[in-house]
Amino acid sequence: MAKQTIEITVNGDRYEVAIDPWRSLAEVLREDLRLTGTKIGCNQGDCGACTVLINGRSVSSCLTLAVEAHQREVTTIEGLAKSPQELHPIQEAFVEKGAVQCGFCTGGMIMSAKQLLDKNPQPTETEIRQGLSGNLCRCTGYNKIVEAIGDAARRLAPAGEGK
Amino acid sequence: MKNPAIIGASIPRLDARQKVTGQALYTDDLTLPGMLFGAILRSPVPHARIKRIDVSKAKALAGVKDVVTGADTPQVKFGNWRLVPDSQDELPLAVDKVRFIGDEVAAVAALDKETALRACSLIEVEYEELPGYFSVEDSTQEGAALIHAESEGNVSLARKIKYGDLEAGFAQADYVREDTFRVHAVSHAYLEPCSSLAAPDEGGRVTLWTSTQVPYIVQCLLASTLGLPENHVRVIKLNTGGGFGGKMELRKWEFCAAFMAVRTGRPVKFTLRRADELASGRRRHGMPIRSKVGFSKDGLLMAKDFDVLLDGGAYNSMGPTATFLCGNFGAMLYRYPAYRYLGRHVYTNKPPAGAMRGFGAPQALFAAETQMNMAAHDLGIDPIDLRLLNAMETGDEIPEVATISSCGFKESLVKVRQMSGWDVKRQEKKPGHGIGVGCYSFISGGVFNWFNTKYNFASAEVRVFEDGTAHLLTMATDIGQGSDTVLRQILAAELGIGVDKIRLTASDTAVTPKADLGTWGSRVTLMAGNAVVQAAKKIKEMLIPVVFGHFDLNQIHDIAFENDRVFSKARPDKGFSFGECVYKALKGRRGEPLTAFGAYTPRNKGLVSPAFSFGAQVAEVEVDEQTGLIQVHKMYTAHDCGVPINKMAVEGQLEGSIHMGLGYALMEDFVMKDGRTLNTTFLDYKIATAQDMPPSQSVEIDTYEPEGPFGAKEAGEGLVSPTAPAIAEGVFHATGYRCLDLPITPPKVLQGLGRLKG
Amino acid sequence: MATPHFTVHQPATLEEALDLLGRHRASVKLLAGGTDLIMKLRGGAMSADHLVSLNRVGGLNRINYQDEDGLVLGAGARISDVAAHPDVRKHYPALAHACSVMATTQIRNMGTVAGNLANAAPSADTAAPLLAYRGSVVLVERGGRRQVKLEEFFKGPGLTVLEPMEILEAIRVPVPPGRAGSSYLRLSARSQVDIAAVGVAGFLALDLDGCMMGVRLACASVAPTPVRCPEAEAMLEGQRPDPRLLARAAVACVRAARPIDDLRATANYRRAMVQVLAGRVLQKCLSMAQGGAQ
């Protein structure tokens, strides 16, 4: 069976790759584009470590066929910080609040947090917990992650809003 | 206590930026030129003789570069208990027999993953099935076939502990009860599936990058199974995505990667699938636990008899250690005048149980703490009062086993009672609501040299430079708990320089000093921390004379290392920057670098551990008596971990422990049928999500552990134990249903309340 | 578990999609969200040489509510968009709820309600509320369209009346009457995020005399397909609400259930929970109907 050529924009960079149509977006990101920040924890859509944004929506990249991302905009964990010096506020909050331990779930967790805050800039604790329910973490017990996202929401709020 | 700005500070982990930006590398992220992909063929049957293996079709498949079976290997048995060679019961690939569904039979290396998997399916194996035993009761019955020929009755080892006069204790007791508890196997469920990449090196040497907790143990056992000198094997750990005890042995894919890398001359990588991990990975020991305990009418403990069968699965793994620790934790926490323990490690045809966070303690403490709660109920004594009456204290001794050098247990009980509003909530009961308590004690590493290492248990090398920086080299293994940060805090505190001034090289067996036994048993902070302190002290001894000489100080002066400076305490102007001091010392040594080694090996510390931590936890729960669903509303914890080096990291360990403890109590379980694990996805093997987790409030009790660096001791493991008994007592308080067999599922609650038929 | 190989077709129109289905009829599957399909293909539970993706077909993701015609969900409507849609939340709160609690955020962003129905899992979370709201599905093939009531759509686990060359184009739900209440409750025995071990949906309206009318009850995960509970519905229809009657109806719902023991729950537990949840669902429906104009 023939390979299909896809064009995808990942973190603002355009790529053209010829791939087997059955391969997942997670595999193509990791193996072809060498963007290994997207992790495969279960390859079954249950753990969330492979979460990326496609046109701004969070998806499990292990269950997404790469061909379905053709001509779409993909954002991975590598694309979130403006520069190595300037982290995204969610990333800063994760660092400072101790929301990272082994780090394997972290990238996917942050992408889910990004999706959540994009849709709901001032979430309640319950809403944060719901927003993270597709991302498993075995190290932290989630509390520091929840705290970090609350903190990031405050950092992201325009002056005068939130608290 | 020195440098409070660094010790006890909640400084963010030094690797966090790499992790939040996706730059941190894990083993599966590596690709090397010419790399092959490995796959493993596992046994589909629980117990069988291998009659024939035919790999010809697999070898003939295009893209396949190597196929190996047990017959191709040197067939050297291995196991972590090198001190007792008879306990080493595993071969890198099965020879003659398979003993569980998932037992590794053959391995393939091919140009891509898909070809490797397809080749596995082309290997023909003819099995002659033997009777399979899936419970300790079945495998220990009269006439059961032997899973290992050497182990009579399928008991691989027995461990006894005995002190005091048991008969007299029970005879004098006013209240005696005997109960049988059943605890189940659960998965480590680390998020990073195991991955190992081996590359051939010049001279027949091999380098292995692997997701492990124990680089040194992997190096030694890999060398022995490959038939190579230890020094020919280099093991490097990159970031490891959690372990919890599940990555503390030589694993068969590590052997296969290295073995096939040498054979093919190409790098070979194995990465497990989640289904492999859940279906055949290590797990916590399930056990039936029979416990008999006696009290005086006033609630004083008189005697305890604790009898345990550990379901070890097909191999010993870390079972020998779990067997001992289970007995130890059956009688920690309280003063037992008399205690007897018999633990037997039993083979069954299931995936092997191994080390898992708590290492025998969660099981023993579920039984012991639940029984304590049952006794409190019967004796009409508040459960916290009953504990206070019997609690251990600093200086207590367990005869010939351990001395408690620091203990904040009573303080923990008092504190958690107050924090949780215990007295009020216990008295003014709301329907469906309950509150329960559970406690724990844990070790700060083990003192027993079961690995039979010739080296120190922990080591550190410190190098300092004239630019004011230092380089710490250690084999201590950060698998997510944060030791890379904590050890740098300890070095920074000792040398008086900033943590940002310290480069760290860890867990590379070719360059970091021998040895460190790895991350398990909550040993790293205390043992590796002490090694770092010792190395730093030697460095200071090299620098102190420079200050004295240069400033012509009177010998009564004391030298301080603070704020990147080395100076006289009495005359702070008499001193240099740290870098300048190193520069001057270097000149004095005519260019010989300033390097020092430190080490730690516990000596004369009894049979268990150099230090013990303690704590108490309260769970507030609500039970829906119609559905049986249990919601944990809040967890309160007061614990004694000595002086926390990094408060935020300690809290992270605590909250992570609650997660695992809550899963153990309520939702995690392997569903098995005839030796086969049925729930092999995270959809069906349930670990708690953010929505399932209750908020947590915690406090550290102020103690100082004399054996630990800066007064620190264990913080990351013991806390996994109190959660299940606390929740179980909360459910009892809410409903009157007493669970003796984990997990506490909604149907069990309804059955216990007589609302659902079995 | 070898990797499945297939070609993916990405038509821009429904006609093209139907053509592709016909052309590859020997071994073809439709791909929408893919969250179930990809797992089934990888696990070997299903195989296909060709996948026809609906994700680039224009107009398929519509969510449209009109006071005369009710709700139309296109085959491409994502579960998360349905959950968040103001008209769905207002007129079909039980469906919005089902769509907001099932699976995970990522899966809801990928998966479609149509896919959830077409997969015909006994546990399909959207099926029970759609049964309660009298939903039907529009099936299209090259010859034309047909509309099938949802209760006639499911045939067994993974089986529906869909013909091989047919596409589930849309879901239609009529406008609910005034003074109505509806609810969906699901329960998974272990965690919040889980496949439902039991799900019960209900709908009822009150007439001018305060009698119940249009009562619908449906269960998920307790039979080979999502099922209605006709006996319980009949007991309640035209009756005045009375706690004992509601309790009897909840018991009757159990008789519609034919649960099995599986990894997620025992049959016994499921039966007991149908009664508990049905009782709660009826209470909730009733208080909603009594409480307001909705």
Side-chain angles (χ1 to χ4, degrees):
Chain A
M1 264 167 268
K3 290 191 189 244
Q4 272 171 253
T5 299
I6 59 165
E7 289 163 32
I8 46 174
T9 304
V10 184
N11 305 328
D13 298 325
R14 265 196 77 233
Y15 297 86
E16 203 177 288
V17 272
I19 54 164
D20 291 322
W22 52 85
R23 290 176 69 215
S24 71
L25 178 59
E27 285 172 329
V28 171
L29 287 171
R30 289 178 54 78
E31 295 165 11
D32 298 51
L33 309 189
R34 302 295 299 136
L35 292 167
T36 54
T38 298
K39 304 298 182 199
I40 297 178
C42 71
N43 216 26
Q44 292 162 324
D46 297 324
C47 80
C50 68
T51 304
V52 302
L53 306 184
I54 299 183
N55 289 1
R57 293 167 73 103
S58 63
V59 300
S60 299
S61 63
C62 73
L63 287 187
T64 303
L65 295 178
V67 290
E68 294 280 59
H70 174 54
Q71 290 176 341
R72 305 258 200 264
E73 302 258 348
V74 178
T75 310
T76 71
I77 186 65
E78 289 95 337
L80 218 52
K82 273 194 194 145
S83 72
Q85 289 72 39
E86 196 181 345
L87 298 185
H88 186 279
I90 300 173
Q91 292 172 316
E92 273 173 19
F94 266 61
V95 171
E96 287 169 24
K97 295 289 172 186
V100 179
Q101 286 190 31
C102 86
F104 199 78
C105 76
T106 305
M109 198 67 85
I110 289 174
M111 298 316 286
S112 282
K114 170 90 167 75
Q115 160 88 113
L116 171 71
L117 295 181
D118 284 348
K119 289 177 89 170
N120 180 2
Q122 295 296 322
T124 62
E125 180 178 331
T126 305
E127 286 165 345
I128 294 173
R129 288 183 182 273
Q130 282 165 354
L132 295 182
S133 61
N135 292 75
L136 298 177
C137 170
R138 191 56 155 173
C139 298
T140 65
Y142 306 101
N143 284 345
K144 296 203 182 302
I145 294 173
V146 172
E147 207 182 308
I149 294 170
D151 184 62
R154 285 186 289 276
R155 290 171 197 240
L156 285 160
E161 281 178 43
K163 57 168 179 23
Chain B
M1 223 179 305
K2 294 174 201 168
N3 294 291
I6 295 177
I7 298 301
S10 283
I11 66 166
R13 307 169 56 99
L14 300 168
D15 56 358
R17 284 181 80 90
Q18 298 271 315
K19 287 176 172 172
V20 300
T21 52
Q23 293 168 294
L25 286 179
Y26 298 73
T27 306
D28 188 53
D29 299 337
L30 296 190
T31 300
L32 292 177
M35 186 174 89
L36 303 174
F37 294 84
I40 290 176
L41 178 71
R42 296 169 178 279
S43 169
V45 292
H47 194 192
R49 238 176 271 292
I50 299 172
K51 303 279 284 182
R52 183 181 67 90
I53 305 185
D54 183 350
V55 300
S56 53
K57 285 182 189 150
K59 276 191 168 152
L61 186 69
V64 171
K65 296 294 169 189
D66 198 13
V67 182
V68 293
T69 69
D72 302 308
T73 67
Q75 303 189 11
V76 177
K77 283 194 172 180
F78 69 95
N80 276 5
W81 271 64
R82 288 200 304 191
L83 189 67
V84 183
D86 284 350
S87 74
Q88 296 184 294
D89 57 1
E90 282 192 85
L91 283 165
L93 287 170
V95 174
D96 300 335
K97 251 185 106 166
V98 288
R99 295 179 174 86
F100 72 98
I101 293 176
D103 214 350
E104 289 86 346
V105 173
V108 174
L111 291 177
D112 57 75
K113 277 183 272 191
E114 217 184 308
T115 305
L117 284 171
R118 184 142 7 108
C120 277
S121 70
L122 294 175
I123 298 173
E124 292 168 13
V125 188
E126 195 183 317
Y127 296 102
E128 176 192 326
E129 286 209 53
L130 298 165
Y133 303 106
F134 310 117
S135 70
V136 290
E137 288 82 0
D138 284 352
S139 78
T140 52
Q141 75 196 347
E142 279 278 318
L146 294 186
I147 296 170
H148 293 265
E150 309 77 19
S151 291
E152 248 177 77
N154 285 321
V155 173
S156 77
L157 67 115
R159 177 87 208 186
K160 291 173 189 164
I161 301 173
K162 190 173 185 317
Y163 51 82
D165 187 340
L166 199 74
E167 282 69 33
F170 280 123
Q172 287 161 19
D174 301 303
Y175 169 80
V176 175
R177 67 173 306 131
E178 185 172 335
D179 303 285
T180 299
F181 302 87
R182 289 199 84 96
V183 289
H184 61 306
V186 290
S187 172
H188 305 86
Y190 35 71
L191 261 284
E192 182 209 14
C194 288
S195 180
S196 304
L197 164 61
D201 233 334
E202 47 81 26
R205 296 182 183 86
V206 64
T207 299
L208 179 78
W209 292 264
T210 188
S211 173
T212 185
Q213 306 177 219
V214 287
Y216 168 66
I217 287 178
V218 172
Q219 179 198 15
C220 297
L221 295 179
L222 191 51
S224 64
T225 48
L226 290 170
L228 293 177
E230 233 162 76
N231 195 27
H232 274 28
V233 174
R234 177 182 187 182
V235 174
I236 302 172
K237 179 220 61 130
L238 302 172
N239 286 289
T240 289
F244 313 109
K247 298 176 179 174
M248 75 163 287
E249 299 167 59
L250 172 68
R251 279 81 48 82
K252 302 185 181 181
W253 49 93
E254 290 173 326
F255 170 87
C256 291
F259 187 57
M260 293 200 286
V262 173
R263 278 164 63 101
T264 60
R266 297 171 72 158
V268 182
K269 181 162 83 176
F270 283 80
T271 299
L272 266 55
R273 294 168 297 187
R274 182 57 56 184
D276 299 325
E277 292 278 7
L278 288 170
S280 38
R282 297 292 201 240
R283 40 198 71 191
R284 181 179 283 155
H285 289 87
M287 311 174 183
I289 300 174
R290 191 186 55 71
S291 178
K292 180 180 170 187
V293 65
F295 290 84
S296 75
K297 61 180 181 307
D298 307 324
L300 280 176
L301 275 164
M302 306 294 285
K304 186 178 204 171
D305 191 11
F306 209 61
D307 193 306
V308 178
L309 290 173
L310 291 90
D311 185 344
Y315 297 100
N316 269 328
S317 178
M318 283 307 293
T321 308
T323 306
F324 174 61
L325 288 178
C326 186
N328 181 64
F329 290 110
M332 281 296 291
L333 285 172
Y334 310 107
R335 293 167 168 172
Y336 290 89
Y339 178 62
R340 183 172 71 178
Y341 168 70
L342 174 60
R344 282 166 291 171
H345 187 264
V346 177
Y347 286 131
T348 55
N349 295 111
K350 293 196 290 193
M356 180 171 168
R357 202 177 199 171
F359 230 157
Q363 300 97 321
L365 285 169
F366 174 70
E369 286 293 283
T370 298
Q371 205 170 34
M372 201 72 181
N373 286 328
M374 295 163 90
H377 182 78
D378 286 359
L379 291 165
I381 302 175
D382 176 273
I384 291 182
D385 286 335
L386 184 65
R387 286 172 167 85
L388 282 168
L389 207 58
N390 291 288
M392 277 188 158
E393 290 180 353
T394 303
D396 277 359
E397 245 180 84
I398 302 170
E400 292 166 37
V401 174
T403 303
I404 309 302
S405 42
S406 67
C407 175
F409 185 31
K410 284 189 173 174
E411 296 85 340
S412 298
L413 284 162
V414 169
K415 189 73 197 170
V416 83
R417 160 180 253 157
Q418 178 225 325
M419 278 163 73
S420 63
W422 172 267
D423 291 332
V424 173
K425 287 172 186 160
R426 208 51 202 181
Q427 301 294 324
E428 298 167 9
K429 222 185 82 54
K430 285 190 281 176
H433 289 253
I435 184 166
V437 65
C439 301
Y440 80 95
S441 169
F442 204 66
I443 56 176
S444 301
V447 303
F448 195 63
N449 189 7
W450 41 257
F451 191 62
N452 201 19
T453 179
K454 309 297 180 285
Y455 297 96
N456 279 301
F457 278 25
S459 311
E461 181 184 344
V462 174
R463 305 171 184 168
V464 291
F465 306 100
E466 79 286 0
D467 58 4
T469 68
H471 187 180
L472 170 61
L473 296 97
T474 170
M475 230 182 259
T477 308
D478 196 334
I479 56 171
Q481 83 274 30
S483 61
D484 284 353
T485 301
V486 161
L487 294 177
R488 272 183 277 188
Q489 281 179 266
I490 289 172
L491 181 60
E494 197 60 50
L495 293 181
I497 62 176
V499 281
D500 57 328
K501 299 275 168 62
I502 302 168
R503 166 188 285 272
L504 177 100
T505 301
S507 308
D508 176 341
T509 62
V511 299
T512 56
K514 292 236 170 188
D516 187 289
L517 293 175
T519 291
W520 50 266
S522 295
R523 58 187 297 287
V524 179
T525 299
L526 187 139
M527 297 199 183
N530 278 337
V532 170
V533 167
Q534 195 187 59
K537 289 204 153 103
K538 287 185 185 170
I539 292 285
K540 286 158 80 171
E541 290 306 318
M542 298 175 196
L543 296 177
I544 287 170
V546 177
V547 185
F548 271 92
H550 185 89
F551 294 101
D552 194 21
L553 295 176
N554 186 311
Q555 68 185 37
I556 63 167
H557 277 263
D558 195 5
I559 301 297
F561 287 75
E562 280 169 35
N563 301 322
D564 294 296
R565 290 192 78 243
V566 187
F567 55 90
S568 159
K569 275 187 184 166
R571 295 286 307 275
D573 57 312
K574 306 245 183 248
F576 311 110
S577 73
F578 186 82
E580 201 180 343
C581 194
V582 173
Y583 173 82
K584 291 206 152 39
L586 197 55
K587 283 284 177 194
R589 293 158 64 94
R590 299 186 67 191
E592 187 189 330
L594 277 76
T595 297
F597 289 92
Y600 179 81
T601 298
R603 295 191 174 91
N604 300 318
K605 296 289 168 195
L607 293 178
V608 190
S609 177
F612 296 84
S613 51
F614 295 84
Q617 193 167 65
V618 165
E620 242 183 280
V621 308
E622 184 178 349
V623 183
D624 180 332
E625 294 193 12
Q626 287 190 304
T627 62
L629 285 179
I630 298 161
Q631 213 188 334
V632 180
H633 284 307
K634 188 147 185 187
M635 299 297 300
Y636 304 88
T637 313
H639 67 125
D640 156 28
C641 62
V643 176
I645 304 288
N646 186 323
K647 201 166 174 319
M648 192 158 74
V650 168
E651 285 167 9
Q653 288 295 309
L654 161 68
E655 287 161 5
S657 295
I658 292 173
H659 173 267
M660 212 173 261
L662 179 134
Y664 189 49
L666 298 178
M667 63 185 77
E668 294 182 35
D669 195 5
F670 281 113
V671 184
M672 298 198 68
K673 189 168 189 302
D674 300 336
R676 184 179 304 280
T677 305
L678 302 179
N679 49 341
T680 61
T681 67
F682 275 143
L683 188 62
D684 284 317
Y685 185 90
K686 273 289 157 195
I687 72 171
T689 70
Q691 270 181 286
D692 300 309
M693 283 301 294
S696 143
Q697 189 185 334
S698 66
V699 68
E700 290 104 32
I701 301 298
D702 190 16
T703 62
Y704 186 91
E705 169 54 50
E707 188 66 16
F710 294 95
K713 54 184 173 180
E714 180 274 334
E717 196 170 355
L719 279 157
V720 82
S721 295
T723 310
I727 291 174
E729 169 68 10
V731 170
F732 175 75
H733 186 232
T735 66
Y737 165 60
R738 175 75 73 189
C739 183
L740 304 186
D741 59 328
L742 292 177
I744 317 169
T745 61
K748 280 188 200 168
V749 173
L750 294 185
Q751 282 160 16
L753 297 177
R755 287 167 181 244
L756 184 72
K757 278 180 251 151
Chain C
M1 265 215 297
T3 314
H5 288 193
F6 44 75
T7 302
V8 181
H9 307 273
Q10 298 172 310
T13 66
L14 205 55
E15 290 66 36
E16 275 180 63
L18 289 167
D19 282 347
L20 284 160
L21 274 187
R23 199 173 318 145
H24 303 293
R25 63 173 66 227
S27 182
V28 66
K29 294 284 174 204
L30 281 171
L31 168 68
T35 55
D36 281 297
L37 180 70
I38 299 299
M39 284 308 299
K40 283 182 180 155
L41 291 169
R42 284 192 197 147
M46 205 180 252
S47 70
D49 294 334
H50 296 271
L51 301 188
V52 176
S53 165
L54 298 178
N55 291 311
R56 284 165 207 273
V57 174
L60 267 194
N61 54 3
R62 67 186 183 280
I63 302 172
N64 198 344
Y65 175 81
Q66 281 177 344
D67 281 336
E68 308 78 53
D69 301 338
L71 180 69
V72 180
L73 301 177
R78 307 287 151 180
I79 294 163
S80 55
D81 291 334
V82 175
H85 199 279
D87 287 328
V88 178
R89 294 165 72 107
K90 183 171 171 201
H91 301 288
Y92 310 94
L95 176 62
H97 177 68
C99 289
S100 67
V101 295
M102 62 184 287
T104 67
T105 309
Q106 295 92 321
I107 300 296
R108 294 193 293 268
N109 277 343
M110 300 166 74
T112 60
V113 175
N116 191 234
L117 297 179
N119 275 314
S123 58
D125 271 292
T126 60
L130 284 168
L131 282 168
Y133 289 124
R134 296 171 166 72
S136 48
V137 288
V138 179
L139 312 181
V140 58
E141 61 182 340
R142 265 184 296 185
R145 287 182 167 70
R146 58 176 175 146
Q147 188 161 331
V148 177
K149 288 181 183 167
L150 193 56
E151 62 208 82
E152 290 159 8
F153 178 69
F154 300 111
K155 289 288 157 204
L159 298 174
T160 68
V161 301
L162 265 170
E163 295 290 334
M165 296 303 105
E166 253 179 336
I167 295 176
L168 196 170
E169 184 190 11
I171 297 152
R172 288 183 163 278
V173 197
V175 183
R179 292 195 77 198
S182 58
S183 166
Y184 176 61
L185 292 178
R186 72 202 291 275
L187 186 140
S188 69
R190 290 172 299 168
S191 159
Q192 305 262 354
V193 180
D194 207 342
I195 285 185
V198 181
V200 178
F203 173 88
L204 61 81
L206 295 174
D207 67 15
L208 293 174
D209 300 326
C211 292
M212 294 179 284
M213 58 174 214
V215 181
R216 280 284 185 112
L217 285 158
C219 304
S221 292
V222 295
T225 66
V227 288
R228 271 180 65 188
C229 309
E231 187 192 341
E233 292 170 3
M235 283 167 73
L236 299 171
E237 192 67 32
Q239 303 296 312
R240 286 190 182 283
D242 162 72
R244 277 180 308 177
L245 177 63
L246 295 190
R248 287 217 318 276
V251 174
C253 286
V254 181
R255 288 194 281 273
R258 283 170 290 145
I260 54 164
D261 289 340
D262 70 11
L263 290 181
R264 290 152 194 151
T266 63
N268 260 352
Y269 182 69
R270 286 192 158 109
R271 262 189 289 270
M273 289 310 103
V274 167
Q275 185 184 336
V276 171
L277 295 189
R280 291 180 182 181
V281 159
L282 282 169
Q283 275 303 337
K284 219 174 148 197
C285 291
L286 187 62
S287 61
M288 262 175 85
Q290 288 168 336
Q294 289 190 10

